[in-house]
């Protein structure tokens, strides 16, 4: 009965009313009976245990849910009505331990293992970027994935603070090392900001990761860059990771490690729309830090991108369920 | 099975995690089957249609739910564990029409009529103070109620803007006129601020409403004042209405019509605790306006007072259900 | 004596000094004798009674006046000195009733009827977008107007909340239905954001309204789009309505219904400058909501656009007065 | 025709509407004809040229006017309706030069000389505390004044930065030296905060200024302290100077040099009310710094105290005009 | 040469100028030669790894240094000039690892071991409250300490999130278990807020810790309570720990776990002053969270209390150095 | 020993830890012995004495230092590691007198005279734009300099407030008049905003200053404009002055006199990078006003541009020291 998966309309109940779930979708716990009907699960990982600089992303899912009640039904550019084409639900937050990184990584992977076994495609709201690692540990059980990664940083650092290996600057270094990502099918878009020593870029080059710096994106334009990105990942199963700090900090100030000179939300929308029809097996939107933007403007950008990601995922999800 | 009415503990799931319901209680729609087990219903009325000055109280319920996830289980002063002694639930928000005052009043009264018919005692989160009027229209169907009213204003104005009768400055004038309140059993505590013309005070005097101005409260102390208030309402069925602007604006800045020189949150806690065992048939906490305090500090005061109100209501609720 | 209509210079009195009127112009009440010399009247409509989502635009005129004291004399791009070429004055605010939509609409139309009878061209500062409807009811008494409309929304909705017809999402639907606008001479620029069901777009198409979505604007550029817009309205008498949410929310965050991916203030300036010499009979700048941007940055954008609108109106006003 | 000096009522025009003048009083320029009917002039001095630490008080008058539109007619404690008993008007701001301290002092004194010659009692809104010096230079032309001074600082420093003599820490040292104040009729209430070297306190002692530190105020209570203060000034002509930082910074955070551990707004109200009937020849409320509190909460405290000061001044003003 | 340990005066260099060190004291690294002359070391622990709720205290030391430049020389109540009587210096921050709790605890203890060996008494700026545990591990090497502890929480929890033992809710439970504190010489003042299950209070009772709840403090007054506290610790070597959330959140909103109904800053000042002459071997001021109060008002309260703590420590430090 | 001039790495000590100096460089006083090894001195001028509108820039250096701790080592676009190629140090702030413009100008020039005599190239953090004048008085002792000036204003005004000649709107008028700048080698980029009377533009034209308005920059692009700018200054010794208000206020809101419609931070980065190898003898970044952006986002833009300026200066500095 897909009707029950439709969000409450703002023409009926004002957007500011009601308990806030992601995009006003029904809220289900993973152990409820209905969960087997879900195609796409919107999940929060309220965690910033990997943050080396300014914390606060643990509050991301709450604020993202709040602002997401301003999302309506239809994508105006593509005409896609994602909630009609797939059963989407808010599956709540993973139960994290804010004071213990390794314990939380296990909890995240356990949660996503269950999603995989239920055939649910996850759309994750962070949380800091370290969460992508335990998510990939669950999603890549069937083999290494490709990835399209929007970010101002590579997140390919070796470690911090005397060799500590699990921070929000290291998830994809670890993911490559653990065989969760196929580096030759990884594209990073929007990279910029001052560098420590460039060792992360060396790692990218040595492993075949394609890094598209902001200057290249600005010079070539989003269409050309996305054509290349699509060519690199081809028909592989891919993960899409969108760090809100990829967007210029004037448009998304609520994040812990901003870098000036980023691309616009309009560019972001166009790029994510160009992901349509790729074989996306999961996506995340990370690093929204509400204490750094109590206005909610950054979270509004975040959920607007989540909606675009959702629309981009729909065709592949639909294909699988109609197959 | 009362266990299902217990909130999720912050020792298990961090307070910032999970979909935000009032005090982390289960969320139920009025048409769900379980609702018949509910003793106390926490309801939001996200509405500021009666606001003559600075709007924003329509966003109150959302922010109050957010902050309420920091409430724990037990009242440290009285030892009361309200969630164990009564079945409490979040019953969502009333569906309001922000652009039509009279339509919304009807919708509110309809919602509370259903609560009354289900035997659920309402603990309302506003919204502006006009909401008390349609709530009283439902609760006072069995006869006029007494009221203990904490506020910096009397809310007994005749009207605004050329005779408009339904604003957040008039609800109790209307309620007395409509026979919903017994004015001789009404006590108003904390009144202050510059006056238009004093006509509201004249109305109070003429009808036997007891107005305790802030100077009297400060001089006599909270214990003496509450002893008098309890004597006035006696064993009558009463409503408790708490306007957040009763508290000093330094402690509750997020409200539309602040008046300096108020009482403290500590005084508020002591006064509400002294309501214990009165025959409370409903309560509200109104006028928290999140746009005027994005930090959530005012909402935190609001939900802390809601918790105290809940604890004060428990004995009477329990009596009725064990009777 | 036109000299008395010149604003106080910031080289003489610091910008932060003095009672704040629009652009430091003289303040006149509609019933004063001098008002007959006024050519352009700057008027506030401090009202958000039609707001379906986040309120606050009622505070717009106050904050716009405050920030407008930073406007100097001369448009640097066109060299126009509007205050020298027309007599401009601050005519104060319309007396609204924040709790009654229909009463306020009558009050607004009455006020603008008087402006029309005095031959004063209004430059309105909102307030929410519903105000354009009662303004048009006064201005279109001589026949339907054309309109150039900058907005992220069409404001052509049928209604909200069970058929309520007067909200800030419906003014131009009503204006077309009431014959105040000639839909074939209406151009909407900058439309974007998720859609409820697209019924507003259907209405636009069915009635010949030209909707230029943001993607088209970005692809074709502002010059091409404005050339088309000018061709559509030709020499008709037109109204110009500028919703601040047309601009990207990073540049104008203080508004109730933001949509990411908008155009820049620089684009806005260029587009408004390209309105020069059109037969403008009135203009408004709406939806600045100060509680959502206490910094005043959004209001600064708003008054900067008001100044451009004023410069665009000057030639036609001057023509009429010199005719 | 005193009626024209009555403020616009918030029961008629909403408080947020209209051009903001002090307490919604008529705005008059010093050179207008009507000004000779004015008894009490509310004047802004938008200046922080004497500020040694955090600037922003130059923006005080604008924000104080904005918030002052929330003041109603009648003092609820005393029943005084000041606008009915005296002709009050907003006389605008003194034209200051923000970059030149001495030039501005001359401009301020010139402005107040004119007030004195017109028989207008000034109620000044600052601006930083240095403004009291040029004001006193005008008001004390008839001989040294007494003063009741609420502040967390003595403002009796010798100088700053290598002997610079005119800062907001020195006005009353200069005023005593220049014979504008009779130090034996000066009382300072609320003094606290860490000290540089205590030389200001030595000066106070040597000259007979009575300094009542916050500990003494808290121990003895406001009534006892005010009885003493009244006895010290007796029937002398006095100036009342209220620095907003006298109040605890939690209640008035928007000020440049806060000191924790202050008295409350309720205490402030009670103390100012106890000034009633003293021979007040002028008063000021200074050091509200809007950039340090964009919410306006501090300005709201400020104008609420200005209203109390106005009520305290009314009897003496009335006496003089009825004499 | 004690002169070099005097802070730069605000009468010479404006308070906002210069590199910000604690109270404008000289900055020294632990390995510099001069450090052997230091009597009291002000140290930052920029860490919130133990925070179970809202993070941000890692930014505390930076903001506390910034605001501390507004501290002058002399305590106005006691006349103590601490910088003249002891050599005080800013010893910088401990190098923490924000993502690893146990590693950081080791680093903190190592740093304080060095202070102990140098005979430097530490005045610590947090950081979340967990930091007191590794500090006590260094300071209590000579035997269990007494403690006077100002807080709204006991911080005596057994653990969080399935038995995790090191959070900011557990430091003193661990310290008692590890023999670092003598529980019979521990007093906790200001405790309040809703309770999980009261198990922490049971632990306090079972071990002889004296918990003075806020109601008792309000009823008995600060003098009586401090007399008792002094009697309990007697002449023992004690640690003083001041959690900023002990103070009412209206006065100190920038903290992660606020509880309404607290004591005032004035009460705090009076209580800390009553610690004078006790045998204090270290003190901390913790839980200032700048992202939750970007205004710095909370940090200003924090450093003002640090100054009082410093003055309270001076006599004992002086005794030891003159002995 | 250049190693001691390297900043502390964020991979070792978290960015939020430690006393904040510019870019985590060593802090040296001008009278220390080591200062003779410094090649580039980062200096703060915490002063807004010339500000005619909104103050606050005096707090700029403090906040810029705070945010600058997020700068890493290497410029990602050019690969330049400035700290390795030159000895850079934080030389503290000039001791200003906030209440006396002329005194402060003397103090600034004295400080920079010492830098010149030490052969240190200054990179200044403001402070308002008037500071460029006393800096140029020191730097241009060897003859008039060229200048590349990024700003939304020309800062070529004749005077303010009745002929006052020293404000932040006049420094380069004065510098040309005093022979400190060669006007034919001055380029101003990004000029926009409403004009008083255009007299500053007349002065520019009459003296051969090249003003590139924003429309020209947008139309021609940054590369073409910078090619022209480089041609104009050729191999002359030049000063680079970057007013943060040159950047669009959505990206740099924390400034006193914003003008909408500016260029982006990305454009700014590209333009400053195109200054590489010019004969730069000093640079400043001015008009960051922290009270107008407590979030620090504007300061983050500011220090990011300072880093680009530093990289642009390095080749010339290196040439001189290797010569």
């Amino acid at each position: 009965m897909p009707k029950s998966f439709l969000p409450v309309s703002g023409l009926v109940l004002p957007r500011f009313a009601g308990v806030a779930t992601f995009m006003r979708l029904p809220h289900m716990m993973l152990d409820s009976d209905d969960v087997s009907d879900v195609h796409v699960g919107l999940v929060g990982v309220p965690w910033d245990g990997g943050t080396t600089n300014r914390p606060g992303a643990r509050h991301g899912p709450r604020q993202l849910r709040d602002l997401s009640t301003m999302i309506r039904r239809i994508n105006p550019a593509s005409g896609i009505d994602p909630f009609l084409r797939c059963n989407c639900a808010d599956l709540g937050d993973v139960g994290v331990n804010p004071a213990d990184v390794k314990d939380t990584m296990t909890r995240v992977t356990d949660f996503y293992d269950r999603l995989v076994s239920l055939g649910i495609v996850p759309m994750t709201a962070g949380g800091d970027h370290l969460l992508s690692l335990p998510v990939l540990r669950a999603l890549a059980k069937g083999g290494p994935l490709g990835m399209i990664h929007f970010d101002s940083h590579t997140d390919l650092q070796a470690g911090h603070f005397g060799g500590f290996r699990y921070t929000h600057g290291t998830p994809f270094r670890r993911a490559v090392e653990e065989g969760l990502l196929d580096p030759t099918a990884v594209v990073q878009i929007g990279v910029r900001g001052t560098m420590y020593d460039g060792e992360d870029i060396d790692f990218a080059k040595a492993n075949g990761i394609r890094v598209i710096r902001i200057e290249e994106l600005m010079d070539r334009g989003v269409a050309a860059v996305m054509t290349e990105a699509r060519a690199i990942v081809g028909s592989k199963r891919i993960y899409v990771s969108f760090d809100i700090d990829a967007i210029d900090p004037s448009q998304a100030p609520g994040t812990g490690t901003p870098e000036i000179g980023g691309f616009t939300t309009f560019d972001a929308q166009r790029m994510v729309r160009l992901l349509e029809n790729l074989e996306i097996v999961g996506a995340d939107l990370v690093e929204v830090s509400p204490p750094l933007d109590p206005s909610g403007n950054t979270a509004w950008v975040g959920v607007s991108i989540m909606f675009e990601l959702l629309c981009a995922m729909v065709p592949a999800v639909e294909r699988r369920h109609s197959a």
Side-chain angles (χ1 to χ4, degrees), chain A residues 14 23 65 200 231 307:
Chain A
M23 303 187 194
R65 277 190 180 91
D200 55 330
F307 180 79

Side-chain angles (χ1 to χ4, degrees), chain A residues 4-6 19-22 24-30 32 34-35 38 42-44 65 88-93 111:
Chain A
S4 67
F5 286 99
L6 292 182
V19 170
T21 60
F22 283 126
R24 307 186 105 185
L25 290 164
H27 176 210
M28 293 176 181
M29 304 301 281
L30 263 202
S32 78
D34 300 335
V35 94
V38 175
L42 288 87
V43 179
R65 277 190 180 91
C88 301
D90 183 332
L91 302 181
D93 284 352
F111 191 99

Side-chain angles (χ1 to χ4, degrees), chain A residues 39-108:
Chain A
H39 302 155
V40 178
L42 288 87
V43 179
V45 182
W47 184 49
D48 51 17
T51 299
T52 59
N53 188 8
R54 305 189 299 180
R58 69 178 71 180
H59 297 293
R62 180 75 56 90
Q63 198 190 35
L64 288 162
R65 277 190 180 91
D66 183 5
L67 273 294
S68 78
T69 61
M70 298 208 298
I71 293 289
R72 303 181 197 84
R73 282 282 294 277
I74 299 174
N75 189 314
S78 64
I80 290 179
D81 182 340
F83 310 114
L84 199 63
R85 289 173 60 179
C86 294
N87 294 351
C88 301
D90 183 332
L91 302 181
D93 284 352
V94 179
V96 302
N97 178 347
D100 189 329
V101 166
K102 291 190 184 169
D103 179 22
T104 299
M105 287 204 288
T106 303
R107 294 174 186 223
V108 174

Side-chain angles (χ1 to χ4, degrees), chain A residues 31 58 72 144 180 210 234 255 283 321:
Chain A
D31 53 9
R58 69 178 71 180
R72 303 181 197 84
L180 309 174
R210 172 70 170 109
T255 196
H321 283 279

Side-chain angles (χ1 to χ4, degrees), chain A residues 246-263:
Chain A
I247 293 172
D248 191 78
S250 64
Q251 299 191 305
T255 196
T257 316
E259 306 293 349
I260 72 167
F263 57 74

Side-chain angles (χ1 to χ4, degrees), chain A residues 105-126:
Chain A
M105 287 204 288
T106 303
R107 294 174 186 223
V108 174
T109 301
D110 288 351
F111 191 99
Y112 282 76
D113 280 343
R114 292 173 66 192
L115 294 184
V116 169
S117 70
L118 285 160
I120 297 174
V121 175
M123 168 75 251
T124 304

